[in-house]
Amino acid sequence: MKIKFLHIILGVMLLTGCAFYNNRSTQPEMKNENISKENNQMNITVGEHVFKVMLANNSSADALKEYLVKGPVTLALSDYSGFEKVGNLGTTLPQNNEKMNTVAGDIILYQGNQFVIYYGENSWNLTRLGKIEGVSKEELQEVLGNGDVEVIISLP
């Protein structure tokens, strides 16, 4: 009787251990531990000016953070229509297009691979990546200047 009871206890322990091991192995793996959901910011550097960007809560912004974990990215942006600077991001991100009215400071993904900084207004189907914090339209236009500009995007 004691041996049978001992076999039952050992069997339960063995099954419990297997279930625990099985649950551990099926837990989703963190893609990149350096990216925290709480840290939802990015920097944009233009010359000596560093702008803080609050990133949007979407898969496009998450993919941009993953891209920037490798290091800062330098982009050449050109004027387009007198209200935005646009340039190739160097990668394609998922799109989350929605009808929106942009304002100065909006950071937008266009066609999945174009990085856009708005210094004016527009209305279109676009993917929001984020918003520059604490800067006026006039300050942004002054820093971005006329014509082409080089910017560096990075994680803080």
Side-chain angles (χ1 to χ4, degrees):
M1 179 83 165
K2 286 183 181 181
I3 293 177
K4 196 173 197 179
F5 182 73
L6 185 59
H7 283 139
I8 291 172
I9 290 177
L10 288 173
V12 168
M13 289 174 58
L14 181 63
L15 289 174
T16 304
C18 288
F20 175 74
Y21 178 77
N22 193 27
N23 281 343
R24 282 190 59 215
S25 65
T26 60
Q27 292 295 319
E29 212 175 288
M30 291 291 287
K31 278 189 175 180
N32 195 323
E33 294 176 2
N34 294 331
I35 295 180
S36 165
K37 291 290 181 191
E38 291 80 34
N39 185 3
N40 212 28
Q41 293 188 332
M42 171 181 81
N43 292 332
I44 297 178
T45 305
V46 184
E48 296 176 15
H49 301 275
V50 179
F51 296 110
K52 298 286 182 196
V53 176
M54 180 58 67
L55 292 169
N57 186 20
N58 62 36
S59 62
S60 306
D62 291 343
L64 179 60
K65 287 189 289 188
E66 285 283 340
Y67 181 56
L68 294 176
V69 165
K70 299 173 194 167
V73 176
T74 301
L75 304 173
L77 305 182
S78 300
D79 258 336
Y80 181 79
S81 293
F83 56 82
E84 67 186 26
K85 299 284 187 180
V86 62
N88 192 301
L89 186 56
T91 191
T92 299
L93 305 178
Q95 297 181 61
N96 289 282
N97 290 332
E98 61 181 315
K99 180 76 171 160
M100 69 176 67
N101 296 316
T102 63
V103 296
D106 281 340
I107 306 301
I108 301 294
L109 176 69
Y110 180 66
Q111 295 185 339
N113 64 356
Q114 298 297 305
F115 185 86
V116 184
I117 302 174
Y118 275 88
Y119 57 89
E121 294 79 32
N122 189 21
S123 181
W124 201 255
N125 284 328
L126 302 164
T127 296
R128 184 178 308 282
L129 289 174
K131 173 87 173 153
I132 297 175
E133 299 180 321
V135 65
S136 71
K137 177 179 181 176
E138 294 75 23
E139 291 170 320
L140 195 54
Q141 284 178 310
E142 183 179 320
V143 172
L144 292 174
N146 295 320
D148 297 347
V149 65
E150 187 174 273
V151 303
I152 300 170
I153 57 175
S154 61
L155 295 175

